[in-house]
Amino acid sequence: MYRKMEHRFISCCCGAVLALCTLGAKAQTIEECQQAAERNYPLVRQYGLIERTTELTLDNLQKSWLPQVSATAQATLQSDVPSWPGQMQTMLQQMGLNMKGLSKDQYRVGIDVQQTVYDGGRTRSQKQIAREQGKVEAAQNEVTIYQLRRRVNEMFFAALLLDEQIRLNRDLQQLLESSENKLASMYKHGTAAESDWLNVKAERLKVVQQLTDLESQRTTLLRLLSVFCGIEVKTPSLPIPESAGWSGTSLRPELRAIDAQLRLTDAQEQALDAMLRPKAGVFLQGFYGYPGYNMFEDMMRHRWSLGAMVGLNVSWNIGALYTRKNDKARLAAQRESLGVQRDVFLFNNSLEQMQHDDDIARYNNLLSADEQIVKLRQSVRKAAESKLQHGIIDVNDLIREINNENAARVQQSIHGIQKLKAVYDNKFTTNK
């Protein structure tokens, strides 16, 4: 019964839209408008920037495995330097050798090369953090872009409602024009007063004036929707939902953003473990200066020499132990906070779903009553037309019944559009 009533209503509402489609105009569905709006929104370029930034960060972290080369140059003046003991110096002087020891001014120009061979997993954990941070930013960007669908929905269904009002306005004009023509004929034959004919004509012109205002509103709204979507929207196509509503697990991007943040905290916790491991590397030092490594030779001859050293170094900084407990507690608090955010979102989201389901059920009941009201108003209006021809009522009574029937049809259209909007609002709420 519901399906039969729903398709009857949709067929009625689509009259104007289908008429335009047959003339060759391409109708845009709400899904096409949503996708176009997401492509057109400037923030969509942020995805590429996030990906590029993540790639650059990973590339920089990978370069930490390259040899680290540094050049140094220094000149020093010391207060004291190694020298020969006094007795040895006296002995050497007796042998004709004058060796005073090292000079207090010393010079060195060198190159230091460090190569990490094991970093305890620090680079790997930092790369994982960078990847997860990129995913968090992309997920948050998706949340912002997803909100565009709500704005598209508002403008799209407003345009549909104006289309229905325009269609009903034209139907009303036809009714008034028919009554106007009948009264004009009756006036010519002397069976109706001129004021009755002019009264209906004035009412029709008022309805024509309302149509001008409605068409102007529609043009403005479709222009705004076209700019927002980046495509020319001329004919919004009335959507036909597959079911009355959606209920159950939500697939909103906000939940994916929370999951991305949870994965980031996992990567940060792994980085804490990596900070506790030792680091190992090899090094090469080369220099040209005075003094060199051969101290005794330099004490005898004050000249610059070449020197080099190669070796293996291992370092283990246990400073991370001091803050490890607090860092773990901080990450645990972040996870708990994200869990609270998830619960709050799901709670509010379920309330919205309940509200939409109740709205859909309410509009179904209203539409069922609207269908009966329209039939009754139509019968009353036809009876009024017959009574006017027989002089039982005046033209004001007929105009009132025509307006009552039109008001009932308008109310039916409003309830139908509102019901469809509630269905798509529920679809937005669950992202299904």
Side-chain angles (χ1 to χ4, degrees):
M1 177 65 184
Y2 161 69
R3 277 292 178 190
K4 183 178 180 182
M5 182 191 68
E6 181 183 35
H7 285 293
R8 187 186 303 118
F9 165 74
I10 290 173
S11 299
C12 178
C13 290
C14 287
V17 176
L18 293 176
L20 288 174
C21 291
T22 56
L23 294 177
K26 183 181 183 301
Q28 285 82 21
T29 65
I30 190 169
E31 287 80 7
E32 291 173 342
C33 290
Q34 289 174 348
Q35 294 169 4
E38 292 177 0
R39 292 192 300 267
N40 183 60
Y41 200 61
L43 196 61
V44 74
R45 297 195 297 269
Q46 188 72 8
Y47 285 116
L49 296 176
I50 292 172
E51 183 178 359
R52 179 59 178 161
T53 301
T54 302
E55 290 176 354
L56 293 174
T57 302
L58 293 175
D59 189 50
N60 286 341
L61 289 171
Q62 185 62 32
K63 286 181 170 59
S64 64
W65 289 102
L66 296 177
Q68 305 299 308
V69 181
S70 60
T72 59
Q74 68 177 27
T76 61
L77 180 63
Q78 300 180 197
S79 61
D80 200 3
V81 291
S83 61
W84 296 99
Q87 293 180 351
M88 184 175 291
Q89 190 172 7
T90 300
M91 187 189 332
L92 292 173
Q93 288 175 352
Q94 290 175 355
M95 297 173 60
L97 298 174
N98 185 16
M99 292 186 294
K100 298 181 180 180
L102 295 178
S103 298
K104 292 185 177 180
D105 55 323
Q106 300 181 3
Y107 310 91
R108 176 173 293 192
V109 177
I111 293 178
D112 188 2
V113 180
Q114 299 280 344
Q115 174 63 59
T116 301
V117 295
Y118 176 71
D119 67 349
R122 289 174 176 80
T123 301
R124 183 177 66 252
S125 62
Q126 291 300 318
K127 290 170 69 174
Q128 185 62 27
I129 288 176
R131 293 189 189 96
E132 297 302 335
Q133 285 178 335
K135 293 177 181 178
V136 168
E137 293 178 8
Q140 292 173 342
N141 196 59
E142 183 183 0
V143 170
T144 302
I145 292 180
Y146 184 78
Q147 296 300 320
L148 298 177
R149 299 187 183 185
R150 187 189 296 274
R151 299 172 65 180
V152 170
N153 287 359
E154 295 295 332
M155 289 187 284
F156 193 90
F157 281 101
L160 287 177
L161 186 58
L162 285 172
D163 281 344
E164 285 301 297
Q165 290 176 325
I166 289 173
R167 182 182 67 84
L168 294 174
N169 181 284
R170 288 171 176 159
D171 290 344
L172 179 58
Q173 287 185 47
Q174 291 179 0
L175 282 176
L176 290 172
E177 186 176 7
S178 175
S179 298
E180 180 184 348
N181 293 335
K182 291 178 181 178
L183 286 170
S185 176
M186 292 171 65
Y187 167 65
K188 289 180 180 180
H189 292 86
T191 58
E194 182 182 12
S195 59
D196 292 339
W197 168 50
L198 296 178
N199 192 0
V200 174
K201 183 177 182 179
E203 187 69 20
R204 181 180 62 81
L205 293 177
K206 185 178 73 172
V207 174
V208 171
Q209 186 182 48
Q210 293 172 355
L211 177 62
T212 302
D213 183 56
L214 290 172
E215 289 178 337
S216 177
Q217 293 181 42
R218 182 183 185 276
T219 300
T220 301
L221 184 60
L222 290 183
R223 185 183 298 119
L224 290 175
L225 184 59
S226 298
V227 172
F228 192 78
C229 296
I231 59 174
E232 186 176 6
V233 182
K234 291 183 177 180
T235 310
S237 175
L238 188 65
I240 302 178
E242 297 179 356
S243 60
W246 288 263
S247 297
T249 305
S250 178
L251 301 177
R252 287 283 291 273
E254 288 87 346
L255 296 176
R256 292 194 290 271
I258 292 175
D259 290 337
Q261 294 179 65
L262 287 172
R263 290 192 295 269
L264 175 60
T265 59
D266 292 339
Q268 290 171 336
E269 187 169 13
Q270 293 177 2
L272 294 179
D273 297 333
M275 293 295 294
L276 292 177
R277 303 188 186 106
K279 296 177 63 178
V282 295
F283 66 90
L284 171 65
Q285 295 176 345
F287 72 92
Y288 179 64
Y290 169 81
Y293 290 134
N294 191 340
M295 192 83 56
F296 291 102
E297 180 71 18
D298 291 340
M299 291 170 67
M300 297 176 63
R301 299 179 179 85
H302 294 179
R303 63 183 182 183
W304 288 38
S305 61
L306 290 172
M309 179 186 297
V310 63
L312 172 68
N313 56 19
V314 178
S315 62
W316 194 356
N317 186 354
I318 63 173
L321 283 173
Y322 305 148
T323 60
R324 180 178 175 81
K325 182 178 180 180
N326 290 339
D327 291 337
K328 287 268 191 179
R330 177 176 54 83
L331 292 176
Q334 288 182 6
R335 290 193 184 96
E336 187 174 353
S337 176
L338 291 170
V340 172
Q341 293 179 31
R342 178 193 295 275
D343 292 340
V344 170
F345 178 82
L346 290 175
F347 179 79
N348 292 331
N349 192 263
S350 63
L351 290 180
E352 290 182 16
Q353 292 184 51
M354 291 173 58
Q355 180 64 50
H356 295 320
D357 288 340
D358 290 344
D359 288 342
I360 292 169
R362 177 166 57 88
Y363 288 130
N364 282 334
N365 293 332
L366 290 174
L367 285 170
S368 179
D370 285 334
E371 186 175 13
Q372 299 180 36
I373 294 173
V374 168
K375 289 181 179 179
L376 294 173
R377 289 297 183 187
Q378 185 179 26
S379 298
V380 173
R381 186 261 304 168
K382 290 180 178 179
E385 291 176 343
S386 176
K387 290 178 180 179
L388 179 66
Q389 291 180 353
H390 292 84
I392 299 175
I393 62 173
D394 59 20
V395 71
N396 290 324
D397 295 327
L398 175 62
I399 292 175
R400 183 178 65 252
E401 297 305 334
I402 291 176
N403 287 332
N404 287 339
E405 180 187 355
N406 179 71
R409 293 185 182 277
V410 169
Q411 194 67 22
Q412 183 186 34
S413 297
I414 292 175
H415 289 157
I417 297 297
Q418 287 176 334
K419 179 243 178 171
L420 290 173
K421 185 176 182 299
V423 170
Y424 273 82
D425 284 345
N426 202 23
K427 186 177 181 180
F428 171 85
T429 300
T430 58
N431 191 26
K432 290 186 178 180

